[in-house]
Amino acid sequence: MITRLETTDVLVIGGGLAGERCAIEAAAAGQEAMILSLVPPRRSHSCAAQGGMQAALANCAKAEGDSPTVHFLDTVRGSDWGADQEVANIFADEAPVAVRELAHFGVPWSRVKGGKNHYFIKGAAVDIDEALENDGLIGQRDFGGTAKWRACYAAAGTGHAALYAVDSEVVRLGITVRDRTEAVSLIHDGGRCLGAVVRCLRTGTHFAVMAKATVIATGGYGRIYGQYTSNATINEGTGAAIALDTGIVPLGNMEAVQFHPTTLAPSGILVTEGCRGDGGYLLDKNMHRFMVDAEPAKQELASRDVVSRHMQQTMRDGNGVDSPYGPHLWLDIRHLGEEHLRTKLLEVWDICRDFAGINPVNDLVPVRPTQHYSMGGVRVNKDGQSYGLSGLFAVGEAACWDMHGFNRLGGNSLAETLVSGRLVGRRVAEYASGISLRADTGFAFDAIAAAEQRARAWLSRTGKGPSIYDIRDAMGETMMHKVGIFRTGDELSEAVNELQALLDDCDNAVLRCRDPGVNPELAFALRLKGMLRLAMTVALGAQARTESRGAHFRTDYPLRNDEQWLNRTLVRWAADQSEPTFSYEPTGLIDLPPGHRGYGSDERIEMKASLDSYNNSVLAEQTGHGRLESAEAMGSRLRRGAWKTVAQ
Ligand SMILES: Cc1cc2nc3c(=O)[nH]c(=O)nc-3n(C[C@H](O)[C@H](O)[C@H](O)COP(=O)(O)OP(=O)(O)OC[C@H]3O[C@@H](n4cnc5c(N)ncnc54)[C@H](O)[C@@H]3O)c2cc1C
């Protein structure tokens, strides 16, 4: 067999918004960039994003007084103080640039209409005069957990519009894109990443791409929840899995998994938060607006973790609507009217018609919470460089950068992909321009041989072993029902045992199709163990974290515990080790002291240490955990105390 070896300056694994924006920046700085993707980039999951992208533009009446500082406050509160506050600061400062840049790339943002506008706020109709001088500016809608209307949107197809525009830039710059090509392992020498072994999904051939810098931009790991996710089938967490396999690069906060309140029941297709932002509300089987009782101030627009828990509890209490596919609740958007639904929420209208056979102008929409977003991922410093391996970067949903902490606010992910894509792309280019590609190709040949051996082992196994699809489905059931919205120590122990049994089954599973080339069963089999290992890090991380923070809710430890758990989980697990190793680092420099989020419970265990002593330990502790030095000093972009001028 001929072993193929290619080279490039910057290898970007993933052609979604984050990977493409990163590649554009590196290419614009003169680096040769190559993008790998499982699918043509425009089919990446970013395309499915619906409701909006947060940026403090303050263009409409209900956004008056907004600023990056208010956005920072909302983001840190939304994260339940799990975020790195400097990163949240960088993000909020740069999000307006990212939105305006997209307009320049061609995104048809929905715009402010000067004069009288008819809105719905908390379910009630309101007329608001938009300033005539703001007519035609980028419009903004309300979203959960924010103090101001901040989500910029292109109807309910924001991701579609953004990805097509960004991909057109990739084409314009002539960046090499290899679709249907999967990175299956990282090549490294123990200290530096040298590229990746990739597998062509058309032919089954393995080859190596050696690069000065490698970027993981593979999106989230929602598919470890099987059918219980709003994510596409390609969101299998392969990037996080190959980083974990190194045993050197840690993943951060894997137990921080978001459940979105409103996905269509039973298909799990997302119905955007923009519906509630635009004035839609939730009803139980008695047509009662339970969120008004549960969260009088924010109602349906509390953060996603809070709303999902209230919905789940409402169904547990027997107030869900029975259906052959289990209970659900109702989303009522009928009052918004046909014109609104067929313009600003057009994609929702389409989804309701095509996937539920209903017309939301006349019908209630059946919804329930489902896994939606991965806050955890490849742990990186503020430049996007991974812990442990120089030359390896991560960006977008695949990364734990970490501006979301334990709960991401709606609209903050699209903005993150573009802000961090640009920022990390610049750092990647700087890194790549400062080094040569000179490296021992033996590491690449060994890695190719190992990958080929893994594929051969699957193809040659015979007998009566379990099906990989049964293992996948069992993993999803375990994750949703035992590592879901409400978690308990007992159920998490059961989940760990069940996942271990599935990992063992994986070694005996047998394929039905033995074609070495175009063979989706083999392609999935090669990912399955990695997915189970990720699932295990989520379950074990959740079991160890004996508190409740953001989306991680332990009914046996219902309080946020800032005394013991104001930290980030790190997990390392080399491919040849039987179990992972966990450690914990400080979340980052804290400027906004831990407090009440403004929604959800105000009960918590306070930290006893002073902020100064906490902050003094951050640099040394994170460095001890493998954090590599960033281009600018830690804390240089934290606008200390700025929040005091706007805090409400
Ligand atoms: C239905 C839905 C609606 C959403 N709506 C919003 C919204 O309104 N606002 C918001 O802010 N966020 C939203 N989100 C979240 C947001 O869309 C995503 O977090 C974001 O788009 C992720 O972008 P990404 O570039 O990191 O990853 P993705 O867009 O998922 O791209 C991952 C890329 O990696 C490639 N890939 C994966 N594994 C490999 C491999 N091993 N080798 C090679 N390539 C690989 C894939 O082919 C793909 O190109 C939504 C999410 C969902 C699921």
Side-chain angles (χ1 to χ4, degrees):
M1 190 172 290
I2 301 165
T3 301
R4 211 167 95 203
L5 200 144
E6 297 188 15
T7 59
T8 186
D9 293 333
V10 175
L11 174 66
V12 180
I13 307 171
L17 276 172
E20 290 215 317
R21 186 62 192 84
C22 182
I24 288 171
E25 198 68 17
Q31 298 298 314
E32 185 190 22
M34 181 193 291
I35 297 174
L36 307 179
S37 176
L38 301 177
V39 290
R42 292 180 188 211
R43 308 287 301 166
S44 299
H45 199 61
S46 294
C47 193
Q50 297 175 8
M53 170 169 165
Q54 300 279 357
L57 299 183
N59 282 348
C60 61
K62 295 297 287 180
E64 220 170 274
D66 201 11
S67 67
T69 306
V70 183
H71 192 180
F72 159 84
L73 262 180
D74 287 345
T75 302
V76 174
R77 287 173 173 160
S79 79
D80 220 355
W81 273 267
D84 179 313
Q85 297 196 8
E86 184 181 16
V87 170
N89 218 152
I90 296 170
F91 161 74
D93 283 348
E94 297 199 6
V97 180
V99 165
R100 293 194 173 107
E101 182 184 64
L102 281 186
H104 172 71
F105 287 170
V107 168
W109 291 116
S110 297
R111 300 278 165 170
V112 175
K113 192 161 69 71
K116 193 180 287 301
N117 279 255
H118 191 60
Y119 297 122
F120 282 89
I121 299 177
K122 295 181 179 162
V126 213
D127 284 332
I128 294 181
D129 279 331
E130 294 292 355
L132 292 178
E133 63 266 28
N134 289 348
D135 186 75
L137 295 182
I138 295 172
Q140 293 174 292
R141 60 165 39 128
D142 205 0
F143 250 53
T146 62
K148 304 286 177 185
W149 290 19
R150 188 182 297 131
C152 309
Y153 61 103
T158 313
H160 184 123
L163 188 58
Y164 274 56
V166 170
D167 191 54
S168 296
E169 285 301 298
V170 167
V171 173
R172 189 178 67 78
L173 289 168
I175 295 171
T176 303
V177 176
R178 297 210 161 178
D179 60 24
R180 298 180 182 87
T181 308
E182 176 172 357
V184 293
S185 64
L186 294 172
I187 306 166
H188 65 90
D189 63 8
R192 178 180 157 202
C193 184
L194 305 170
V197 174
V198 305
R199 181 170 181 271
C200 172
L201 296 172
R202 292 184 180 92
T203 62
T205 321
H206 287 89
F207 59 100
V209 182
M210 297 194 75
K212 294 178 187 172
T214 304
V215 184
I216 293 178
T218 49
Y221 46 88
R223 281 282 154 182
I224 65 173
Y225 282 78
Q227 60 165 312
Y228 303 101
T229 177
S230 64
N231 287 193
T233 49
I234 55 171
N235 286 5
E236 289 162 328
T238 48
I242 61 177
L244 188 67
D245 282 347
T246 64
I248 300 166
V249 178
L251 305 182
N253 279 351
M254 290 298 283
E255 67 272 32
V257 175
Q258 179 167 87
F259 294 81
H260 193 291
T262 56
T263 64
L264 201 58
S267 64
I269 296 171
L270 188 89
V271 181
T272 175
E273 189 162 305
C275 291
R276 284 171 288 134
D278 288 4
Y281 43 77
L282 296 164
L283 299 170
D284 67 13
K285 72 173 183 187
N286 303 311
M287 299 296 132
H288 176 62
R289 275 190 69 190
F290 55 93
M291 283 308 301
V292 176
D293 304 333
E295 290 290 329
K298 295 296 278 185
Q299 303 182 359
E300 280 82 359
L301 290 176
S303 61
R304 289 175 177 177
D305 57 321
V306 170
V307 178
S308 291
R309 277 196 292 277
H310 286 305
M311 290 176 75
Q312 192 77 354
Q313 193 57 50
T314 300
M315 291 189 285
R316 282 186 171 190
D317 292 344
N319 288 319
V321 182
D322 288 331
S323 87
Y325 311 100
H328 64 75
L329 296 159
W330 296 119
L331 172 68
D332 193 350
I333 49 176
R334 295 172 298 182
H335 51 290
L336 303 186
E338 180 159 359
E339 192 196 333
H340 187 107
L341 294 180
R342 296 189 72 164
T343 53
K344 292 186 176 171
L345 291 169
L346 174 63
E347 289 73 6
V348 172
W349 194 85
D350 285 342
I351 287 169
C352 288
R353 181 196 56 197
D354 296 345
F355 295 97
I358 58 172
N359 179 347
V361 177
N362 304 317
D363 302 317
L364 294 169
V365 184
V367 291
R368 64 180 165 223
T370 292
Q371 191 286 341
H372 180 64
Y373 186 81
S374 313
M375 271 81 73
V378 180
R379 178 67 186 129
V380 295
N381 66 12
K382 68 173 168 175
D383 293 345
Q385 188 157 27
S386 77
Y387 279 29
L389 275 188
S390 66
L392 180 66
F393 295 76
V395 72
E397 194 173 339
C400 179
W401 188 27
D402 165 16
M403 50 167 282
H404 306 301
F406 277 75
N407 176 66
R408 164 174 82 84
L409 290 186
N412 262 0
S413 174
L414 282 186
E416 179 192 11
T417 61
L418 293 149
V419 168
S420 66
R422 198 165 73 105
L423 183 150
V424 175
R426 210 174 308 140
R427 294 289 177 238
V428 165
E430 285 162 12
Y431 175 88
S433 66
I435 58 161
S436 88
L437 187 50
R438 190 176 294 276
D440 183 348
T441 52
F443 291 109
F445 293 133
D446 289 350
I448 294 176
E452 286 174 338
Q453 175 50 33
R454 276 196 298 277
R456 269 199 305 276
W458 272 107
L459 291 173
S460 61
R461 200 180 297 152
T462 54
K464 279 205 165 157
S467 138
I468 55 167
Y469 299 116
D470 289 344
I471 297 175
R472 173 198 65 186
D473 293 348
M475 169 176 64
E477 295 300 319
T478 295
M479 293 304 287
M480 185 63 201
H481 300 298
K482 295 183 176 166
V483 199
I485 295 173
F486 293 116
R487 301 166 172 182
T488 69
D490 289 345
E491 285 181 349
L492 289 167
S493 300
E494 287 169 24
V496 167
N497 292 338
E498 288 167 19
L499 292 171
Q500 185 56 55
L502 294 173
L503 267 169
D504 297 341
D505 283 352
C506 216
D507 292 331
N508 303 314
V510 174
L511 302 186
R512 281 170 288 183
C513 173
R514 293 180 193 287
D515 195 315
V518 182
N519 180 348
E521 192 185 17
L522 173 62
F524 184 69
L526 290 168
R527 294 173 203 146
L528 183 57
K529 201 161 191 174
M531 291 173 74
L532 281 160
R533 282 159 49 85
L534 295 184
M536 190 65 116
T537 63
V538 176
L540 284 169
Q543 190 182 35
R545 185 171 281 271
T546 48
E547 66 151 0
S548 292
R549 185 179 296 273
H552 167 69
F553 194 88
R554 291 279 303 256
T555 47
D556 44 357
Y557 294 94
L559 298 190
R560 191 177 92 202
N561 184 340
D562 292 329
E563 171 60 9
Q564 278 178 4
W565 290 104
L566 193 56
N567 57 23
R568 180 177 301 106
T569 308
L570 298 176
V571 57
R572 290 180 167 85
W573 193 359
D576 58 359
Q577 282 171 358
S578 59
E579 50 187 51
T581 311
F582 283 85
S583 56
Y584 297 88
E585 66 170 11
T587 54
L589 297 176
I590 294 180
D591 185 37
L592 180 71
H596 180 40
R597 302 166 84 189
Y599 41 80
S601 167
D602 190 18
E603 274 188 86
R604 63 187 171 276
I605 299 168
E606 308 265 357
M607 70 190 285
K608 292 202 184 72
S610 72
L611 276 191
D612 281 348
S613 71
Y614 186 95
N615 285 340
N616 288 340
S617 72
V618 175
L619 183 58
E621 283 207 38
Q622 291 196 348
T623 305
H625 284 284
R627 174 189 170 278
L628 301 178
E629 205 177 333
S630 45
E632 293 166 2
M634 178 180 277
S636 58
R637 295 203 54 192
L638 187 61
R639 286 188 288 105
R640 288 168 210 264
W643 57 270
K644 289 180 189 154
T645 58
V646 298
Q648 298 123 3

